[in-house]
Amino acid sequence: MRQDIERILYSEQQLRERIAELGAQITEDFRGKDPIFVGVLKGCFMFMADLLRSVDIYCTMDFMAVSSYGDGTTTTGAVKINKDLSRDIAGRHVIIVEDILDSGVTLSYLKNYLEVRQPASITLVTLLDKPSRRRADVKADYAGFEVEDAFVVGYGLDYAEEYRNLPYIGVLKSEVYSKNG
Ligand code: IMP
Ligand code: MG
């Protein structure tokens, strides 16, 4: 699996250090607010686990699973909710946790979808931000790293559902795409 990675973009240590900083900042900003962290599956799973370990306030968590309609390369702009929240969020401070903010279509849809339930606030946290690819009007409130326009995998991020288990974030070799279509 690791031979498919062209280069490592963020090592385990870089991820650990940056995520600890994000956690400390969120701790400060949300103290006393008892926020609910909403992880967007499946990409969020490692980031969510590490981020929440460095958040030192009372908080709860929940998960959603979403997928974009379309053929995989083109998104129609609509997002399918595969798993919704298990509790009401009315009056709560919601913190959405995503792996990567790319076109922004997923997060802007999700934000609107949750806003209807009248939470006290909605905050977006993303590990990676690719601002050059933005199509929807959405901005991260907290972002770990700004990345160039390359396809990255690892630490939760997948290509065709694989590579999520890599402990670092790397750029996938282009021959992996061409081989698989
Ligand atoms: P958006 O709706 O275009 O912002 O897409 C966000 C979703 O696209 C993420 O949650 C990822 O699942 C996927 N995605 C976008 N860029 C990458 C990438 O470089 N590697 C892996 N997945 C990506
Ligand atoms: Mg994905």
Side-chain angles (χ1 to χ4, degrees), residues 5-11 14-15 128 145-148 150-153 168-171:
I5 303 303
E6 185 179 291
R7 68 197 153 92
I8 294 178
L9 213 52
Y10 300 108
S11 67
Q14 284 173 303
L15 289 169
L128 304 179
F145 300 98
E146 207 170 277
V147 291
E148 61 205 276
F151 197 79
V152 296
V153 294
Y168 50 77
I169 290 174
V171 177

Side-chain angles (χ1 to χ4, degrees), residues 24-88:
Q25 209 187 329
I26 291 170
T27 297
E28 220 172 275
D29 297 348
F30 285 87
R31 187 169 282 121
K33 292 186 170 173
D34 194 12
I36 176 164
F37 287 86
V38 172
V40 184
L41 293 170
K42 300 185 271 276
C44 77
F45 84 101
M46 277 200 198
F47 177 42
M48 182 94 167
D50 285 341
L51 179 69
L52 271 286
R53 272 183 277 199
S54 50
V55 168
D56 185 21
I57 48 172
Y58 290 99
C59 61
T60 59
M61 52 190 100
D62 205 339
F63 293 91
M64 291 185 76
V66 303
S67 51
S68 301
Y69 284 109
D71 62 11
T73 52
T74 54
T75 170
T76 58
V79 175
K80 184 174 170 227
I81 306 292
N82 297 319
K83 182 218 171 300
D84 208 325
L85 296 174
S86 55
R87 298 274 189 111
D88 189 25

Side-chain angles (χ1 to χ4, degrees), residues 8-22:
I8 294 178
L9 213 52
Y10 300 108
S11 67
E12 290 185 69
Q13 191 186 340
Q14 284 173 303
L15 289 169
R16 202 179 313 116
E17 286 173 7
R18 181 65 184 125
I19 292 166
E21 283 175 9
L22 288 177

Side-chain angles (χ1 to χ4, degrees), residues 43 99 156-158 161 164:
D99 52 357
L157 291 139
D158 72 304
E161 293 297 326
R164 293 192 197 275

